[in-house]
Amino acid sequence: MAVIRLGDTETQLGKWGFINQSGQLVVPTIYDSAMPFSEGLACVSQGSKGGYIDKSGNVVIPLVYDSADSFYGGVAVVGTGTYPNHKEGIIDKTGRLIVPIEYDYIYNYEGSDLMSAIKGEQLYFLDRTGKVAATYPLLDDSIEGDTGHGFFSEGLAANYTADYKTEYIDTTGKVVAQYDFGRALEDGMAYVEKDGKPGFMDKTGKLAFTLQIPAGYELIVSGYGPGFYHGLSVVQINKEGKEGENAACGLIDKQGNQILPYEYQSIFVYGAYGTVSDGTRWGIFQNPAYQSPSHLLIHMQLETRAPGYCL
């Protein structure tokens, strides 16, 4: 089923409802807002109050909340009050409150192992019964999307300690590793730094390998990289102390082996295949995780395109 809005005018927005795959209206357009169905229920609102309907359009959880999010893992975040007095809790699919509405924020997202919650000056990790698995002091960067701090990914959560080290905990709250800095797990590996050396940690918390950077160069760490995707990681370097000068991309596998040397302007991994560019020519390579390394570089086209960049 898909969300649809009908009745827009020049001065007023229409109402929301739902259509089926044939385009037939199955839930009338009577709602001021609506989210897509998730786990059989959709969050809808009338006026300032939100609740949940089933795919027949029946209201199964009354529209009594000031905020409400989609269901993931059998639970949903709901809230009452307005800023600065807004508080959030957790309900199950029957509407039963399983986490009291007392947290400042709760983050429940698809694929997460535990939920992240903030109350006062503390960061909490909650399971979906409401049990607290671990707590951390709330720092400026405790919840950080770029690095993944404050969220669970692939069974572990990266968290800042009071002295800004990165600590990894499992779903029971047990600390499995600590590094000077680290990012969330991606594809079974996490970028970490230890004693000034960059490397990658595996999903057990063990340092898998240290990155080997050519003499006179330094690693570029920005945005979401470096990180693994389909068994490979794009690594970008430049001249020491000279950001952007002689920048180059290379490619490594999960053992730290150099798959492509640091001589490309851009490398993109899409799964079984990827693309490379030296700034004027583009090529296609096979991912050795899917194909034999001897068939790594397939083709290099002699054509000019707009320069790419490293992911």
Side-chain angles (χ1 to χ4, degrees), residues 131-146:
K131 180 181 177 181
V132 176
T135 62
Y136 279 85
L138 184 65
L139 307 174
D140 289 342
D141 301 319
S142 289
I143 300 290
E144 190 174 349
D146 283 1

PDB file of all heavy atoms in Angstrom, residues 131-146:
ATOM      1  N   LYS A 131      14.373  -3.015  28.912  1.00  0.00           N
ATOM      2  CA  LYS A 131      15.485  -3.214  29.837  1.00  0.00           C
ATOM      3  C   LYS A 131      16.702  -2.406  29.396  1.00  0.00           C
ATOM      4  O   LYS A 131      17.045  -2.361  28.213  1.00  0.00           O
ATOM      5  CB  LYS A 131      15.858  -4.696  29.881  1.00  0.00           C
ATOM      6  CG  LYS A 131      17.019  -5.012  30.812  1.00  0.00           C
ATOM      7  CD  LYS A 131      17.347  -6.502  30.779  1.00  0.00           C
ATOM      8  CE  LYS A 131      18.561  -6.803  31.656  1.00  0.00           C
ATOM      9  NZ  LYS A 131      18.915  -8.250  31.608  1.00  0.00           N
ATOM     10  N   VAL A 132      17.370  -1.751  30.364  1.00  0.00           N
ATOM     11  CA  VAL A 132      18.569  -0.969  30.079  1.00  0.00           C
ATOM     12  C   VAL A 132      19.777  -1.897  30.025  1.00  0.00           C
ATOM     13  O   VAL A 132      20.091  -2.590  30.994  1.00  0.00           O
ATOM     14  CB  VAL A 132      18.792   0.114  31.153  1.00  0.00           C
ATOM     15  CG1 VAL A 132      20.099   0.862  30.888  1.00  0.00           C
ATOM     16  CG2 VAL A 132      17.624   1.099  31.172  1.00  0.00           C
ATOM     17  N   ALA A 133      20.451  -1.922  28.861  1.00  0.00           N
ATOM     18  CA  ALA A 133      21.616  -2.783  28.690  1.00  0.00           C
ATOM     19  C   ALA A 133      22.910  -2.079  29.070  1.00  0.00           C
ATOM     20  O   ALA A 133      23.855  -2.710  29.539  1.00  0.00           O
ATOM     21  CB  ALA A 133      21.704  -3.269  27.239  1.00  0.00           C
ATOM     22  N   ALA A 134      22.976  -0.755  28.853  1.00  0.00           N
ATOM     23  CA  ALA A 134      24.200  -0.011  29.145  1.00  0.00           C
ATOM     24  C   ALA A 134      23.887   1.474  29.229  1.00  0.00           C
ATOM     25  O   ALA A 134      22.901   1.943  28.653  1.00  0.00           O
ATOM     26  CB  ALA A 134      25.268  -0.266  28.080  1.00  0.00           C
ATOM     27  N   THR A 135      24.719   2.214  29.947  1.00  0.00           N
ATOM     28  CA  THR A 135      24.581   3.673  30.026  1.00  0.00           C
ATOM     29  C   THR A 135      25.949   4.323  29.823  1.00  0.00           C
ATOM     30  O   THR A 135      26.981   3.734  30.164  1.00  0.00           O
ATOM     31  CB  THR A 135      24.021   4.127  31.385  1.00  0.00           C
ATOM     32  OG1 THR A 135      24.936   3.742  32.424  1.00  0.00           O
ATOM     33  CG2 THR A 135      22.659   3.510  31.640  1.00  0.00           C
ATOM     34  N   TYR A 136      25.931   5.531  29.255  1.00  0.00           N
ATOM     35  CA  TYR A 136      27.149   6.306  29.029  1.00  0.00           C
ATOM     36  C   TYR A 136      26.866   7.771  29.345  1.00  0.00           C
ATOM     37  O   TYR A 136      25.727   8.228  29.221  1.00  0.00           O
ATOM     38  CB  TYR A 136      27.606   6.185  27.572  1.00  0.00           C
ATOM     39  CG  TYR A 136      28.365   4.922  27.269  1.00  0.00           C
ATOM     40  CD1 TYR A 136      27.689   3.748  26.958  1.00  0.00           C
ATOM     41  CD2 TYR A 136      29.757   4.887  27.325  1.00  0.00           C
ATOM     42  CE1 TYR A 136      28.374   2.574  26.703  1.00  0.00           C
ATOM     43  CE2 TYR A 136      30.450   3.720  27.065  1.00  0.00           C
ATOM     44  CZ  TYR A 136      29.759   2.576  26.760  1.00  0.00           C
ATOM     45  OH  TYR A 136      30.445   1.415  26.517  1.00  0.00           O
ATOM     46  N   PRO A 137      27.898   8.517  29.751  1.00  0.00           N
ATOM     47  CA  PRO A 137      27.702   9.960  29.917  1.00  0.00           C
ATOM     48  C   PRO A 137      27.379  10.588  28.570  1.00  0.00           C
ATOM     49  O   PRO A 137      27.941  10.196  27.546  1.00  0.00           O
ATOM     50  CB  PRO A 137      29.048  10.445  30.464  1.00  0.00           C
ATOM     51  CG  PRO A 137      30.036   9.411  30.029  1.00  0.00           C
ATOM     52  CD  PRO A 137      29.295   8.105  30.047  1.00  0.00           C
ATOM     53  N   LEU A 138      26.463  11.544  28.561  1.00  0.00           N
ATOM     54  CA  LEU A 138      26.072  12.206  27.324  1.00  0.00           C
ATOM     55  C   LEU A 138      27.072  13.310  27.011  1.00  0.00           C
ATOM     56  O   LEU A 138      27.198  14.292  27.745  1.00  0.00           O
ATOM     57  CB  LEU A 138      24.663  12.786  27.446  1.00  0.00           C
ATOM     58  CG  LEU A 138      24.096  13.419  26.187  1.00  0.00           C
ATOM     59  CD1 LEU A 138      23.907  12.370  25.099  1.00  0.00           C
ATOM     60  CD2 LEU A 138      22.769  14.117  26.484  1.00  0.00           C
ATOM     61  N   LEU A 139      27.803  13.134  25.900  1.00  0.00           N
ATOM     62  CA  LEU A 139      28.788  14.117  25.454  1.00  0.00           C
ATOM     63  C   LEU A 139      28.260  14.825  24.208  1.00  0.00           C
ATOM     64  O   LEU A 139      27.229  14.446  23.651  1.00  0.00           O
ATOM     65  CB  LEU A 139      30.123  13.428  25.156  1.00  0.00           C
ATOM     66  CG  LEU A 139      30.683  12.557  26.283  1.00  0.00           C
ATOM     67  CD1 LEU A 139      31.930  11.811  25.814  1.00  0.00           C
ATOM     68  CD2 LEU A 139      31.000  13.391  27.517  1.00  0.00           C
ATOM     69  N   ASP A 140      28.984  15.838  23.755  1.00  0.00           N
ATOM     70  CA  ASP A 140      28.542  16.607  22.580  1.00  0.00           C
ATOM     71  C   ASP A 140      28.343  15.728  21.352  1.00  0.00           C
ATOM     72  O   ASP A 140      27.447  15.952  20.542  1.00  0.00           O
ATOM     73  CB  ASP A 140      29.546  17.718  22.263  1.00  0.00           C
ATOM     74  CG  ASP A 140      29.527  18.838  23.284  1.00  0.00           C
ATOM     75  OD1 ASP A 140      28.536  18.926  24.029  1.00  0.00           O
ATOM     76  OD2 ASP A 140      30.499  19.614  23.335  1.00  0.00           O
ATOM     77  N   ASP A 141      29.208  14.711  21.190  1.00  0.00           N
ATOM     78  CA  ASP A 141      29.171  13.870  19.990  1.00  0.00           C
ATOM     79  C   ASP A 141      28.686  12.455  20.287  1.00  0.00           C
ATOM     80  O   ASP A 141      28.968  11.531  19.528  1.00  0.00           O
ATOM     81  CB  ASP A 141      30.566  13.801  19.360  1.00  0.00           C
ATOM     82  CG  ASP A 141      31.096  15.171  18.961  1.00  0.00           C
ATOM     83  OD1 ASP A 141      30.298  15.960  18.443  1.00  0.00           O
ATOM     84  OD2 ASP A 141      32.287  15.443  19.195  1.00  0.00           O
ATOM     85  N   SER A 142      27.960  12.262  21.403  1.00  0.00           N
ATOM     86  CA  SER A 142      27.512  10.914  21.769  1.00  0.00           C
ATOM     87  C   SER A 142      26.636  10.283  20.694  1.00  0.00           C
ATOM     88  O   SER A 142      26.696   9.081  20.448  1.00  0.00           O
ATOM     89  CB  SER A 142      26.758  10.953  23.103  1.00  0.00           C
ATOM     90  OG  SER A 142      27.628  11.200  24.179  1.00  0.00           O
ATOM     91  N   ILE A 143      25.791  11.097  20.067  1.00  0.00           N
ATOM     92  CA  ILE A 143      24.952  10.632  18.955  1.00  0.00           C
ATOM     93  C   ILE A 143      25.470  11.313  17.702  1.00  0.00           C
ATOM     94  O   ILE A 143      25.293  12.508  17.506  1.00  0.00           O
ATOM     95  CB  ILE A 143      23.475  10.985  19.176  1.00  0.00           C
ATOM     96  CG1 ILE A 143      22.944  10.334  20.459  1.00  0.00           C
ATOM     97  CG2 ILE A 143      22.653  10.571  17.971  1.00  0.00           C
ATOM     98  CD1 ILE A 143      22.791   8.832  20.375  1.00  0.00           C
ATOM     99  N   GLU A 144      26.150  10.553  16.840  1.00  0.00           N
ATOM    100  CA  GLU A 144      26.810  11.149  15.673  1.00  0.00           C
ATOM    101  C   GLU A 144      26.592  10.276  14.450  1.00  0.00           C
ATOM    102  O   GLU A 144      27.057   9.128  14.398  1.00  0.00           O
ATOM    103  CB  GLU A 144      28.303  11.319  15.954  1.00  0.00           C
ATOM    104  CG  GLU A 144      29.037  12.134  14.919  1.00  0.00           C
ATOM    105  CD  GLU A 144      30.488  12.411  15.311  1.00  0.00           C
ATOM    106  OE1 GLU A 144      30.865  12.164  16.453  1.00  0.00           O
ATOM    107  OE2 GLU A 144      31.225  12.881  14.437  1.00  0.00           O
ATOM    108  N   GLY A 145      25.863  10.811  13.476  1.00  0.00           N
ATOM    109  CA  GLY A 145      25.517  10.028  12.297  1.00  0.00           C
ATOM    110  C   GLY A 145      26.695   9.663  11.424  1.00  0.00           C
ATOM    111  O   GLY A 145      26.780   8.551  10.900  1.00  0.00           O
ATOM    112  N   ASP A 146      27.659  10.586  11.225  1.00  0.00           N
ATOM    113  CA  ASP A 146      28.782  10.330  10.323  1.00  0.00           C
ATOM    114  C   ASP A 146      29.615   9.146  10.782  1.00  0.00           C
ATOM    115  O   ASP A 146      30.037   8.313   9.971  1.00  0.00           O
ATOM    116  CB  ASP A 146      29.678  11.563  10.217  1.00  0.00           C
ATOM    117  CG  ASP A 146      29.065  12.635   9.325  1.00  0.00           C
ATOM    118  OD1 ASP A 146      27.956  12.415   8.820  1.00  0.00           O
ATOM    119  OD2 ASP A 146      29.693  13.688   9.147  1.00  0.00           O
TER     120      ASP A 146
END
